[in-house]
Amino acid sequence: MEPDRTKDDVVHWMDALHAHISGAHRNLFELIAEADRLEAWRESGARDTAHFLSIRYGISCWKASRWIHAAYALEGLPRISGALRSGQLGIDKVVELTRFATAETESNLVSWARGVSVACIRRKADVAVRQAIEDVRDAQASRFLSWWHFDDGRRFGLEAELPAAEGAVLARAIERLAEQLPVMPGEEGACHADARRADALVALASTSLAGDPDPDRAAVVVHAPLEALVSGEAGCELEGGGVIHAETAKRLLCSSRVQAMIEDGMGQPVGVGRMAREPSAWMLRQLRYRDSECRFPGCGARRFTQAHHIEWWERGGRTDLDNLLLVCTFHHKLVHEFGWTVSRAREGTVRWSHPDGTRYRGPAPPAETFEPRPALAAVG
């Protein structure tokens, strides 16, 4: 601190800089809404705008989601928007206010928010949101569950009715998982909520199978023509009905409890594949300790991660730590069904490549130097 600066001077400059930063936050939110509309996250290795912001700027997906919601909400809240731009309200208070403020209430809320803590605003928002989502519809009391294959075995149908209490438990578990599971490319937005619930149901079932103490009875059996595994063009048949693509079979063999029956063109067995499943408990613990999170640069996912064989299982890849990589379900599918590739150099560096073979260089934005605004320069 320079000797001629008083504490009042320092506080004055802090206030001026805070106002400048708040104005920049408002500008950033405008750009975030525009980037979301333009789907700027596509082809970046991210699964949606929140994931894109999390990777690019090193913030949590939870915060990124809140920022996106606030960015859209502020478009209809001019007084709260102005309070942020001028620095009257900081970004944390504004983000919480946008969860429940309306055009009719925002004037009074701005005055109220200036005199209370962020925690107080957050509690009010939590109550308002909870009241909006706690309406539970009645469900049929009869209980059944049935399933079937259709579309020449390519699709699986499921129908169920449960008592209200059990249905609420199932719905809550699926919804909670659906909120956290990665979203696949092309399945963003509210119109694809049903697809995310389906993924959540599969995740619940996969967790149960992985913990089953009887590997034989809990195994999914795949009848795989040798030609399909080599060419990747023909289909593979699931025991009990159902047909899957060869690439899907390869992904299952990488991480699921699957028994592969390798057959020739006449359907005669030519070999029984190894029982492919996640690594042993001690190896998986070591893998999670070593990798900590999904190894896609900047992803950071720690839940719904899987052990991926860098050299694929059906190509002779071993289940040992040198050949395993921790990836989330989203980036695992990018490798197997969307053409991305991943490799590890001898020194341990993990390299990801786009489907066209170009190296993915990471999430960091290009370094640029911004000239300060004249008002800010004058403050300094």
Side-chain angles (χ1 to χ4, degrees):
M1 177 177 176
E2 297 180 7
D4 57 340
R5 287 185 178 180
T6 67
K7 63 181 181 181
D8 290 337
D9 292 333
V10 172
V11 172
H12 170 74
W13 289 324
M14 288 170 55
D15 290 346
L17 188 58
H18 175 264
H20 171 76
I21 293 172
S22 295
H25 277 146
R26 182 64 191 98
N27 294 337
L28 175 62
F29 279 6
E30 290 175 350
L31 293 172
I32 285 175
E34 184 176 355
D36 187 57
R37 292 189 180 98
L38 294 174
E39 298 185 339
W41 57 270
R42 290 192 180 276
E43 310 302 328
S44 69
R47 58 179 178 263
D48 53 25
T49 300
H51 198 204
F52 176 77
L53 296 177
S54 173
I55 291 175
R56 196 168 184 86
Y57 302 129
I59 62 176
S60 68
C61 279
W62 177 86
K63 177 177 283 188
S65 297
R66 286 286 179 89
W67 281 13
I68 295 167
H69 176 270
Y72 280 109
L74 286 173
E75 294 175 349
L77 299 171
R79 293 187 179 275
I80 295 178
S81 177
L84 174 60
R85 192 179 298 279
S86 66
Q88 294 181 53
L89 292 177
I91 185 173
D92 289 345
K93 286 189 175 182
V94 167
V95 167
E96 295 300 333
L97 283 173
T98 56
R99 296 173 61 197
F100 63 95
T102 65
E104 293 74 26
T105 63
E106 64 165 339
S107 294
N108 290 334
L109 286 174
V110 169
S111 300
W112 168 75
R114 293 184 65 183
V116 299
S117 67
V118 175
C120 181
I121 303 173
R122 183 179 298 115
R123 286 193 295 271
K124 185 175 178 65
D126 289 341
V127 171
V129 172
R130 188 176 301 120
Q131 289 175 344
I133 67 172
E134 284 185 338
D135 295 332
V136 180
R137 295 182 178 181
D138 293 334
Q140 297 293 328
S142 56
R143 183 182 73 206
F144 76 88
L145 175 67
S146 60
W147 60 81
W148 61 94
H149 290 91
F150 64 102
D151 191 17
D152 296 329
R154 288 187 291 268
R155 301 179 189 272
F156 179 86
L158 184 71
E159 184 179 8
E161 287 187 11
L162 297 171
E166 286 80 355
V169 171
L170 180 61
R172 181 54 56 90
I174 291 176
E175 291 289 359
R176 287 292 295 154
L177 277 176
E179 292 171 1
Q180 302 166 51
L181 281 173
V183 180
M184 296 309 301
E187 296 184 353
E188 305 78 22
C191 62
H192 294 284
D194 289 345
R196 291 193 287 275
R197 294 185 188 116
D199 291 343
L201 183 59
V202 173
L204 283 173
S206 298
T207 301
S208 177
L209 278 182
D212 195 302
D214 188 338
D216 291 327
R217 298 184 65 186
V220 176
V221 179
V222 178
H223 295 268
L226 184 60
E227 177 186 355
L229 294 179
V230 174
S231 67
E233 295 178 356
C236 301
E237 185 179 359
L238 296 169
E239 188 169 281
V243 178
I244 60 176
H245 194 279
E247 290 300 324
T248 302
K250 292 174 183 178
R251 174 169 57 83
L252 291 176
L253 289 170
C254 186
S255 63
S256 299
R257 181 171 280 184
V258 173
Q259 178 73 54
M261 306 294 294
I262 314 300
E263 301 166 348
D264 62 18
M266 301 299 293
Q268 297 297 319
V270 296
V272 178
R274 294 163 290 175
M275 179 69 75
R277 54 183 298 184
E278 291 188 356
S280 61
W282 72 265
M283 188 178 293
L284 190 57
R285 283 196 300 269
Q286 189 66 22
L287 177 65
R288 294 187 185 281
Y289 175 77
R290 186 194 70 188
D291 289 355
S292 180
E293 60 189 23
C294 174
R295 290 299 303 276
F296 187 88
C299 174
R302 300 176 70 92
R303 296 196 64 192
F304 308 111
T305 52
Q306 300 172 337
H308 168 66
H309 290 74
I310 297 175
E311 183 180 358
W312 290 5
W313 178 268
E314 79 282 356
R315 298 174 185 170
R318 299 167 299 166
T319 302
D320 58 33
L321 288 174
D322 289 340
N323 192 45
L324 294 177
L325 192 71
L326 200 65
V327 294
C328 67
T329 54
F330 173 81
H331 287 112
H332 203 186
K333 287 184 179 180
L334 284 192
V335 172
H336 282 279
E337 277 113 326
F338 289 86
W340 285 65
T341 57
V342 59
S343 62
R344 178 188 281 122
R346 288 186 177 181
E347 71 276 11
T349 303
V350 176
R351 297 179 179 178
W352 290 78
S353 298
H354 294 273
D356 62 5
T358 58
R359 174 111 177 252
Y360 179 71
R361 294 293 179 179
E368 297 184 20
T369 302
F370 294 93
E371 292 295 330
R373 295 180 180 179
L376 180 61
V379 171

